[in-house]
Amino acid sequence: MATELMGFEITAISAWLVWILPFAAAMIMPGIGKLSQNATKYVAVGFALMSAVSAATMVPVALEAHELHDQIMWIEAIGLKAGVLADPLSIIMANVVGWISFLIMIYSTGYMKGDKDITRFWFWMMFFIGSMQLIVLSDNLLQVFFGWEGVGLASYALISFWYRDKKKDHVGTEGRTVLGMLDYYAPTHAGMKAFIMTKVGDVMMIAGMLLIFLFAGTFGFKELMGNTDWATAMAAQGLLVPAFVLLFGGAMGKSAQFPLNEWLLEAMTGPTAVSALIHAATMVKAGVFLVARIGPLVFALGAAGILADQFFEIVAWVGAITALLLATQGMVNPEIKKVLAYSTGSQIGYMMMALGVAGLSHQYVDGYTAGFYHLISHAMFKASLFMAAGSLLHIVGSRFMTDMGGLRKHMKKTYAFMWAAGLGLMGAPFITTGFWSKDAIFAAVYESGNEWALPLFAIAVLTAIITAFYTTRMIGLVFFGKKSKHIEKMEEEGHHIHEASVSMWVPYGILAVLTIGIGIIGLSAEEGLHHTFEYYLKNSFGIYSSHAADESSILPEFLQGLNPIALGASLVAFSTGIGLGYIFYIGRWVDPVRFVNSNIFFYAIHKLFLNRWYLNAIVYWCFVTTPLWLARGVSRYFEKTAIDYGMNDGVQKAASWGAKVIQGTQSGVSQSYLFVFGAGLLFVILILLM
């Protein structure tokens, strides 16, 4: 075993336990369930807490920008080692995953109460957390890939959790079609869709891994940075950028980035606790983390003269396109969980945009910090929003916001917490983490100085306006206006609309409060993260920051770096989006239905967004319906006609005719055989004499 530790006396066991404990809980869960299903929740919550605490013990290492690297022999025949790499990046991420997962597990004790398959639920949830933490703390790409496939398997099992495919567990509107494709999905279909679409990215990822291994002879992150001769050799053959783009393909699949984004909406068939885990702490954040892990390596190679700018351009533009594309769809969707899912893909796009722009800028640390700060911020408010949405579904019994309305009087805590978390998503100025992280992204994009800075900046600002609009729309439809007919019917039948249970509202309440609490000190939090990553990038990759403080100013150094254009854009985006949302859905001054139907342009745009830009239908036509139609055609007209009735039947008849001919020559008369033998012998002799 080899251990490298700088700065703090801390045992390597903490880093190993972070991901081993959830796996251990998953392994013992079936046995616990046999003894007592009620006990499974205590095991799940307890092990999730221990994993989070293990992650917390490593925080001092991150704060001092030190690292812990520990390895053991894995496959001795080829000298392959398994290990953990606890550096500032992975330690911060492990704590985000660990503590938010812990809160989601507490929430699940209330949300999943009474489910007859609860043991299976806890098994896959713990397996999910363990797989994600394995990705975060692994010190090599191969080990990451094991965790990568683990989160893919867990997501399939949890999205399809209610595999009996009851109508109440579907997503979409029954009977609705887009370009002839049914836009209504069962849990089993949704799980398979997620599994297959993410596998497209996984195949790209493993191809990139193997390309790098072919030249470097190692999967280890530290080893790849220690000797970059492999990169020079790959660049000489034009394979370096393709290899990293292939790795990014894996991130596109897991993080639901365009064009591998269409699985994310159907993933809402799973329990809401699963949705919160996927969107806030695991799965979709895995792709962002992978880019954050390999991005500094690619940038360092570029600084060494090995051209790799194309990689960052692709990352930035994929993020920008996804951010805007999914935000527009969130404006019009009637299902609350789908709106939040669109929002997740869009916000992940922001993170990718920042990480991409970082590599196109001389100040790599700015975009890097902005993207990761937004990951942390988004994890808090999005987990809160999803869990709050689950409480609404739990109480109202419908996923459609049109079946809600007027709930602020009945669910005051949820109302307050959704506002707090929603303001974080909108980027409410100066009081939310979302404002500071989004403003940092705007500044990083605007100040990058590359040729794509202005168009990327415009997309970022437009997406922020749309985000504030659809978030206000969601809160307005759910909590304002009159009660829906659905709620009135429920009350007539004796159902009492009330607040969610304590075990449910406390977790999302904590995260909502943190969104505001950390937001109030957001500048200090961002400054601390910036300095941590500045030292981390310098010590681990040789990436230096060239920021210079203004000695004549009485303002703190970090405050001097605020960009007035980015700050102004943040304020304008928030006020414009929330203002439009208030007019349509809270003040109800303008009827949105009449507004859309009043103009053919607005009607066409609304239909385009509601139909998901027709991309989902096109995916089904190109990769499902058409291939199936061709396969059936081949089966019917080639296999059954040409082979079964043509070739096979023809061969059979020819063989039968040949057998009859040969059978006719077998007379049983010896003289006939001698005559034929003599004639044949004479024929051979004549040929030889010629």
Side-chain angles (χ1 to χ4, degrees):
M1 179 182 292
T3 304
E4 178 186 347
L5 178 62
M6 294 178 287
F8 282 90
E9 291 300 327
I10 182 172
T11 59
I13 193 64
S14 295
W16 291 95
L17 286 176
V18 171
W19 62 269
I20 289 176
L21 283 169
F23 279 133
M27 294 304 104
I28 66 173
M29 199 63 69
I32 300 295
K34 289 288 185 180
L35 297 174
S36 170
Q37 281 200 339
N38 188 52
T40 55
K41 65 182 179 183
Y42 298 110
V43 174
V45 172
F47 272 79
L49 176 60
M50 287 190 290
S51 175
V53 170
S54 297
T57 62
M58 298 186 294
V59 169
V61 177
L63 293 178
E64 293 298 320
H66 296 309
E67 69 178 25
L68 167 70
H69 185 207
D70 189 66
Q71 292 182 317
I72 60 173
M73 185 57 67
W74 185 7
I75 306 175
E76 192 169 0
I78 58 174
L80 187 63
K81 295 179 180 180
V84 288
L85 178 59
D87 54 16
L89 175 68
S90 59
I91 291 172
I92 295 170
M93 187 69 181
N95 276 276
V96 171
V97 173
W99 289 105
I100 289 181
S101 297
F102 167 64
L103 291 174
I104 292 172
M105 299 303 271
I106 293 176
Y107 172 85
S108 300
T109 61
Y111 187 83
M112 296 299 293
K113 186 178 181 180
D115 194 291
K116 63 181 181 179
D117 295 318
I118 191 66
T119 301
R120 177 163 55 89
F121 173 82
W122 292 126
F123 170 86
W124 284 113
M125 290 288 275
M126 296 308 298
F127 187 88
F128 211 158
I129 297 169
S131 297
M132 184 63 190
Q133 294 288 32
L134 178 59
I135 291 172
V136 171
L137 288 162
S138 292
D139 76 332
N140 64 85
L141 280 167
L142 184 60
Q143 204 171 309
V144 166
F145 194 73
F146 274 82
W148 201 262
E149 293 305 293
V151 295
L153 178 61
S155 67
Y156 164 71
L158 288 168
I159 292 168
S160 307
F161 182 77
W162 286 315
Y163 62 87
R164 294 172 182 84
D165 289 349
K166 296 179 181 179
K167 284 187 177 181
K168 68 181 182 66
D169 300 323
H170 285 52
V171 294
T173 303
E174 187 174 4
R176 186 174 184 276
T177 60
V178 178
L179 295 182
M181 295 289 103
L182 190 64
D183 194 28
Y184 182 64
Y185 302 96
T188 53
H189 181 102
M192 185 59 69
K193 182 178 181 180
F195 191 78
I196 292 173
M197 288 200 74
T198 56
K199 281 295 164 288
V200 175
D202 294 355
V203 171
M204 295 172 67
M205 180 179 173
I206 198 168
M209 288 168 48
L210 293 176
L211 263 178
I212 292 173
F213 183 80
L214 183 65
F215 283 84
T218 180
F219 292 108
F221 297 122
K222 299 285 287 183
E223 292 81 359
L224 289 172
M225 188 60 207
N227 183 355
T228 59
D229 291 344
W230 60 272
T232 304
M234 290 187 73
Q237 297 190 32
L239 293 174
L240 184 64
V241 172
F244 281 115
V245 171
L246 285 169
L247 286 179
F248 178 60
M252 289 165 58
K254 282 291 186 286
S255 289
Q257 297 295 282
F258 178 81
L260 299 178
N261 60 284
E262 292 300 332
W263 66 267
L264 190 62
L265 280 299
E266 281 65 66
M268 297 302 98
T269 57
T272 306
V274 173
S275 303
L277 193 66
I278 289 176
H279 289 250
T282 61
M283 190 70 168
V284 295
K285 295 293 171 64
V288 180
F289 180 80
L290 179 64
V291 176
R293 175 57 85 193
I294 66 174
L297 172 61
V298 181
F299 188 79
L301 293 175
I306 304 172
L307 186 64
D309 282 357
Q310 298 94 327
F311 170 77
F312 291 108
E313 289 178 358
I314 291 170
V315 173
W317 273 108
V318 166
I321 292 169
T322 307
L324 182 60
L325 181 71
L326 297 190
T328 58
Q329 297 174 54
M331 294 171 65
V332 298
N333 201 277
E335 299 178 54
I336 187 168
K337 285 177 65 177
K338 276 194 171 184
V339 170
L340 293 175
Y342 281 123
S343 172
T344 294
S346 179
Q347 298 302 302
I348 294 287
Y350 266 130
M351 300 169 207
M352 293 295 191
M353 188 195 308
L355 294 174
V357 164
L360 301 174
S361 168
H362 294 298
Q363 290 296 332
Y364 183 82
V365 67
D366 290 352
Y368 192 81
T369 302
F372 206 80
Y373 189 31
H374 198 56
L375 182 152
I376 298 169
S377 174
H378 178 265
M380 289 190 294
F381 61 66
K382 186 53 62 68
S384 181
L385 285 169
F386 259 113
M387 288 189 281
S391 292
L392 293 170
L393 269 64
H394 204 68
I395 301 300
V396 177
S398 174
R399 62 185 181 274
F400 292 98
M401 292 183 288
T402 49
D403 287 337
M404 301 177 191
L407 291 177
R408 68 185 187 278
K409 297 177 182 178
H410 301 280
M411 302 180 71
K412 295 180 180 179
K413 294 184 181 69
T414 299
Y415 169 65
F417 294 142
M418 282 199 78
W419 257 122
L423 287 172
L425 176 57
M426 289 186 272
F430 309 115
I431 61 168
T432 63
T433 56
F435 170 77
W436 297 113
S437 59
K438 201 170 291 186
D439 179 76
I441 292 174
F442 286 2
V445 173
Y446 186 79
E447 295 174 352
S448 62
N450 68 83
E451 60 181 316
W452 304 115
L454 287 180
L456 288 172
F457 183 75
I459 291 173
V461 174
L462 178 58
T463 301
I465 294 172
I466 296 172
T467 301
F469 173 81
Y470 69 63
T471 307
T472 308
R473 169 181 176 263
M474 176 183 68
I475 293 174
L477 286 173
V478 172
F479 294 106
F480 289 84
K482 298 179 180 179
K483 295 179 182 178
S484 67
K485 293 181 180 179
H486 174 76
I487 292 179
E488 290 178 348
K489 184 179 179 181
M490 286 181 65
E491 291 180 331
E492 289 173 3
E493 294 174 351
H495 294 285
H496 174 60
I497 304 299
H498 56 84
E499 187 58 81
S501 64
V502 174
S503 63
M504 292 173 67
W505 68 257
V506 166
Y508 59 80
I510 291 172
L511 292 172
V513 170
L514 285 175
T515 298
I516 302 297
I518 298 177
I520 293 173
I521 59 168
L523 272 176
S524 299
E526 186 178 352
E527 182 180 16
L529 189 65
H530 189 278
H531 284 317
T532 297
F533 282 143
E534 189 173 359
Y535 286 118
Y536 162 65
L537 293 171
K538 180 178 68 175
N539 294 334
S540 298
F541 300 95
I543 300 173
Y544 289 84
S545 173
S546 59
H547 280 300
D550 184 359
E551 298 294 341
S552 64
S553 174
I554 61 172
L555 294 175
E557 178 184 342
F558 185 77
L559 190 58
Q560 295 170 23
L562 286 179
N563 185 290
I565 302 297
L567 183 60
S570 297
L571 297 174
V572 169
F574 172 76
S575 57
T576 303
I578 195 172
L580 291 172
Y582 188 92
I583 289 171
F584 285 104
Y585 296 102
I586 295 181
R588 310 285 173 115
W589 300 338
V590 178
D591 184 354
V593 176
R594 288 186 179 181
F595 178 80
V596 168
N597 293 330
S598 66
N599 185 294
I600 191 167
F601 174 76
F602 292 129
Y603 177 81
I605 291 293
H606 180 274
K607 187 174 181 181
L608 175 68
F609 293 167
L610 187 61
N611 290 337
R612 300 162 69 163
W613 290 70
Y614 298 99
L615 294 174
N616 187 62
I618 291 171
V619 167
Y620 273 89
W621 274 112
C622 292
F623 300 104
V624 181
T625 303
T626 301
L628 284 175
W629 178 80
L630 290 173
R632 291 182 183 125
V634 169
S635 174
R636 180 177 179 181
Y637 297 106
F638 181 72
E639 290 186 13
K640 292 183 179 179
T641 304
I643 296 179
D644 292 349
Y645 301 130
M647 187 181 297
N648 289 348
D649 192 48
V651 170
Q652 178 187 351
K653 289 181 178 178
S656 177
W657 178 81
K660 289 180 179 179
V661 170
I662 293 172
Q663 184 181 6
T665 65
Q666 305 303 310
S667 62
V669 180
S670 301
Q671 292 87 341
S672 298
Y673 297 156
L674 289 172
F675 175 77
V676 172
F677 177 76
L681 182 62
L682 180 61
F683 180 72
V684 170
I685 292 171
L686 288 174
I687 290 177
L688 292 174
L689 291 176
M690 289 178 65

